Amino acid sequence: MNKNIFTGLAISAVMAMAASSSAMALGAVVIDNDGCSMLDQTGNVGASSTENHRVFNSGGKGLTKCIGTTANDSGKAIRFSGFSCSVWDGTQYLLTTRSMEVIDSEGNATLTCQIK
């Protein structure tokens, strides 16, 4: 009888370890406020921000979103898309052109880079 209890405990322990390792594999890398380079009103990298959010999940999807300010004397919103930007996957930066930055007429900028 003691052998059955010990075997049952051993099997339960192995199953718990397997479940926890698969849960870790399903986790996501999340980084906040590590800095971000952004485009200025002419489309050159010239603005920077410390307000950003990066997420990369185990399914290979990732997102970088940055918020900052830059000069915009055009009097209207400016939109850029399709430029190279990077998403951190927990090990390295991956380049993508699924990107968009909008600078409103007051210079508030939002940059989004996405890997699907």
Side-chain angles (χ1 to χ4, degrees):
M1 185 123 153
N2 287 339
K3 284 184 183 180
N4 291 338
I5 291 172
F6 179 72
T7 303
L9 289 174
I11 291 171
S12 296
V14 169
M15 289 175 67
M17 287 179 9
S20 67
S21 65
S22 66
M24 288 173 50
L26 296 176
V29 175
V30 178
I31 301 170
D32 289 317
N33 303 325
D34 67 335
C36 186
S37 296
M38 300 176 71
L39 302 177
D40 63 14
Q41 68 179 341
T42 60
N44 295 312
V45 176
S48 64
S49 169
T50 56
E51 289 187 56
N52 64 297
H53 181 70
R54 301 177 196 274
V55 178
F56 194 86
N57 69 24
S58 61
K61 294 182 181 179
L63 173 79
T64 295
K65 186 163 191 165
C66 305
I67 300 168
T69 58
T70 187
N72 182 0
D73 55 13
S74 70
K76 59 184 178 180
I78 301 170
R79 182 176 186 260
F80 301 101
S81 62
F83 53 89
S84 276
C85 61
S86 59
V87 174
W88 180 252
D89 75 352
T91 311
Q92 63 184 341
Y93 283 100
L94 304 175
L95 289 178
T96 181
T97 55
R98 290 182 60 99
S99 57
M100 181 174 65
E101 182 174 333
V102 177
I103 305 170
D104 72 13
S105 60
E106 296 177 3
N108 300 304
T110 302
L111 169 87
T112 305
C113 300
Q114 187 178 39
I115 291 182
K116 271 192 165 185

